[in-house]
Amino acid sequence: VLFPTATFAIFFMIVLPASWALMRHGGLWRPFIIAASFVFYAGWDWRFCFLLAFSILWNQGFALAIHRTGAARSRKQLLVAALAGNLGLLGYFKYYGFFVTSTNNLFAQLGIDLPLDVRSIVLPVGISFFTFMAISYVVDVYRGDFEPTGLGKFAAYLSFFPHLVAGPIVRPGELIPQLETPRDPRYVDTSRAFFLIGTGLFMKVVIANYLAANIVDEVFGAPELHSSPEVLIGVYAYAVQIYADFFGYTNIAIGIALLLGFTFPQNFDAPYSATSITDFWRRWHMTLSRWLRDYLYIPLGGNRGSRIFTYRNLMLTMLIGGLWHGAGWTFVAWGAIHGSALVAERWWRARPGFVERPPTAWRRAWHRFVTFQVVCLAWIFFRAQSFSDAWDVITQLFTAWGEPSPLITGGVLAAIAVGIGSQYLPRRLPLALMARFSRLPIPAQAAVLSLALLVIHAMGPEGVAPFIYFQF
Amino acid sequence: MENETRRRRRPGRREGEGGRRLHSAGAAIVVSLVALLVSLLLNAPGLHKSAQIQPEGWKRDVALGVTGPLDTASSTLLLDQPRRALKAALGRSGDDVVDTAVAVPEPAPEPEAPVARPEPLTRPLHTARQPLRIWIGGDSLVVVPGESILRAVASRPSIVPAAPIDGRIATGLERPDVFNWFTHIRDLMRSQRPGAVVVMFGGNDDHGFMTGVAEGVTIGSFGSGSWEREYRRRVRGIMDTVTRNGAHLTWIGLPISRDGEQTRRYDTINAIVQSEAAKRPGRVHYLDTYFFFAGSDGGYAQYVTDASGRLVKMRADDGVHFERPAGDRIAQEVLRVLGERFRLRDGP
């Protein structure tokens, strides 16, 4: 079930009042929300509900076992088993075909014909997200940062439908305590929830879909047929499209959770206003970057060793982060570009005699510009289906200046301007808008929301394309 | 008693970040419900169209049952006017219109006596100065092969695209209400005047529900005689619309799919297209893709060894759509067909 559809609206209009009605009765509320989440998940393919149920039982079982075991060695063995199960599941569904074809082709180049079987495997939607959340639960229990909760609460945590298929990746410490105490029905942050849902719908339904249909798909489909300015604007448009798509989804998810009384962490903080790649990763998909930091980079050793050791850890984290996004070498290349940029920035700052110059407006603008170009270069590999496709886009950026550019229209430029410009708005503006909205009488709030839905629905395309991040 | 009083007392106001006022869950429910209901009325024409173009089944029936009266109420109360004005301002007034007219050319009369052997068709010459204009369209299956074709012709000055790839998700020849290909191709042939047309249809047509059927005509289940007659009429209509405007048509056949039942249904559609193409030699070419993507056992395979001996992913995870290598394989064949039909001179 996609968020911006009538089916979801009906589903949510049943779940919202029922959830609040049952909220005071934890014993009833949890089974209800788990059932609702499974119904939501079954909207894609009911068979994968068993997979989600397996993940719940597997991780809860190991978390309890780790908690009850005293011996350090046994605890470690249990953790390794739990992780093996999670990564095995992810590996089978997401990476099986990729590894088998890569291995087969590698050996074929050496003249060895491997009899490895390639099966056709359907990727369960959201598996990367709920697997990462499950891992964080087991690891937090192992580290002693978190005590295992009851099966019902853990099931509600892992399957909670607002975050289930595309995040944000919520930590056990952030959500499970909220699931343990009934939410207070007197104080709901409705204005923030409606603001997030409204802006999320606008970014996804209007901006992302418009750019995809009017320039991105055409430019990346056959770059050789387009002028250099078109390809350049097409790449910028993709940067805005993927941001609008994912930022939009996350906003809707956070808004829906808020209406149900739950607070999710922020996932984006104006990423295209970043002044370095390090800064970018503090602002883009923040719940993933902190997951990678806490459950991968730091366990790898983090920056607790030599500089080379730190660079290696950074690079490995970004390469694995790239592979998490998709089973393909182009995603690894995307991670490699970001990893290299992070390493280069660290190396630059660690040079002897390096002095951080005071930031001026021009210097900040220049840093933002350069950072955005590096991010866009990486997006080319992220969007392309192969290295050869990515190379075609890059080549075309330099070889077709002066040709007509009919795809660069006022609408395309306006959508890009909205996507990027919205990240430079003063932070007090949305806060002021939300405060003003919250002071409107209830009928006026409903009227404003109705008008917003009218504009979004009328400006959007017929039908809504799936969110890009669902495939991850 | 004191507890009772406390319970009845209005909760004190509490403010969130930036001084925004927090509201009760009841207010959240009321605002959400009212906003949704009002926006249903404001967007009723669009919602009614969305309901109409859904796949056949109980969900469509329910959606039509709800959106039909909503549309009427919205129109009576003039609540549909803001949407119509907004659509007009965006230049998209036709978005909410449902067009089910199957406008196809009248079939050519059957000759009463055997005609003389038709003259062999000439192979028109196309060069960089007079390039062959190619148009590619169809359902979502055509997008990946279409991109591969456009990439392949980018280095060939003798062929130029007449328009971007016209691949429309969830469309086909059965449901002109979803998207009317008959009107669209007719208009396109007049406005763009392509010399070669490449289409792929049928991926969403493997069911028995058709719209745009003449009044009084009943269509049976998929594959029945009445279904086949009507579907054949539509296939013929597309072929005649293209060829009578002087263009050559390459019709890409449906591939083997992961679902065996679906593959059998696709076979039925392919057989109709193939037989109609055979009646138009030199003007319509049916491109059979079945064995391009079959595994060594002749069945469906997601990964196939390509010409260079590498194992490549040919089919998307849904078991129907193509990956880029599959698109390239089809593009290679389409260009071979065009090379046989036209003299394409890329050099000076």
Side-chain angles (χ1 to χ4, degrees), chain A residues 209-221 226 229-238 241 383 405-409 412-413 416:
Chain A
N209 287 349
Y210 182 84
L211 288 173
N214 287 282
I215 188 163
V216 175
D217 291 349
E218 280 192 48
V219 162
F220 280 89
H226 299 283
E230 271 183 348
V231 174
L232 182 65
I233 298 298
V235 173
Y236 289 162
Y238 180 64
Q241 184 205 340
R383 173 64 172 75
S405 305
L407 293 182
I408 304 176
T409 60
V412 164
L413 293 176
I416 293 173

Side-chain angles (χ1 to χ4, degrees), chain A residues 57 85 100 107 143 149 254 261 263 286 308 424 440 452-453:
Chain A
L57 294 174
V100 169
F107 278 87
R143 286 173 176 168
T149 187
I254 297 172
T263 307
M286 292 148 74
I308 297 294
Y424 285 88
L440 292 174
L453 290 174

Side-chain angles (χ1 to χ4, degrees), chain A residues 6 9 12-13 16-17 20 96-98 100-101 104-105 108-109 116 118-123 184-192 194 217-225 259 383 385-386 388-389 392-393 407 431-432 434-435 437-440 442 445-446 449-451 453-455 457-462, chain B residues 11-36 38-39 42-43 46-47 49-50 53 59 82-83 86-87 90 92 94-96 144 147-148 150-151 153-155 161 164-165 169 178 258 300 302-303 309-313 316-319 323-325:
Chain A
F12 191 59
M13 281 301 102
L16 180 64
W20 280 112
Y96 179 83
F98 170 67
V100 169
T101 47
N104 264 347
N105 291 336
Q109 284 186 339
L116 292 178
V118 195
R119 285 179 215 149
S120 177
I121 298 164
V122 179
L123 178 67
D184 190 340
R186 294 172 303 168
Y187 304 110
V188 182
D189 200 349
T190 52
S191 51
R192 181 165 177 251
F194 292 133
D217 291 349
E218 280 192 48
V219 162
F220 280 89
E224 301 92 334
L225 290 171
L259 285 179
R383 173 64 172 75
Q385 293 196 4
S386 66
S388 126
D389 285 8
D392 289 343
V393 173
L407 293 182
L431 288 176
M434 284 186 260
F437 179 87
S438 73
R439 283 177 159 69
L440 292 174
I442 298 296
Q445 289 191 8
L449 269 182
S450 307
L451 287 175
L453 290 174
L454 165 71
V455 172
H457 197 269
M459 289 181 80
E462 288 180 51
Chain B
R13 294 216 184 281
R14 195 189 278 184
E15 292 194 339
E17 193 190 357
R20 62 178 175 270
R21 194 171 287 166
L22 304 185
H23 291 272
S24 67
I29 294 166
V30 169
V31 172
S32 306
L33 269 173
V34 172
L36 268 174
V38 175
S39 71
L42 292 171
N43 286 307
L47 292 168
K49 183 180 177 181
S50 301
I53 64 177
K59 283 184 186 171
R83 180 182 169 93
L86 202 52
K87 285 281 184 191
L90 293 167
R92 291 165 49 186
D95 276 6
D96 296 340
V144 172
E147 287 176 354
S148 294
L150 292 188
R151 280 165 174 263
V153 304
S155 57
I165 300 162
I169 296 167
V178 178
R258 181 163 51 208
Y300 172 82
Q302 189 172 19
Y303 295 82
R310 288 176 64 248
L311 191 62
V312 288
K313 191 178 180 186
D317 292 335
D318 62 9
E323 292 285 344
R324 171 56 53 75

Side-chain angles (χ1 to χ4, degrees), chain B residues 180-201:
Chain B
N180 196 322
W181 282 107
F182 307 98
T183 314
H184 185 70
I185 291 182
R186 185 192 63 196
D187 296 346
L188 184 124
M189 295 306 295
R190 288 176 189 160
S191 62
Q192 301 295 328
R193 309 202 70 77
V197 168
V198 179
V199 298
M200 188 161 190
F201 288 117

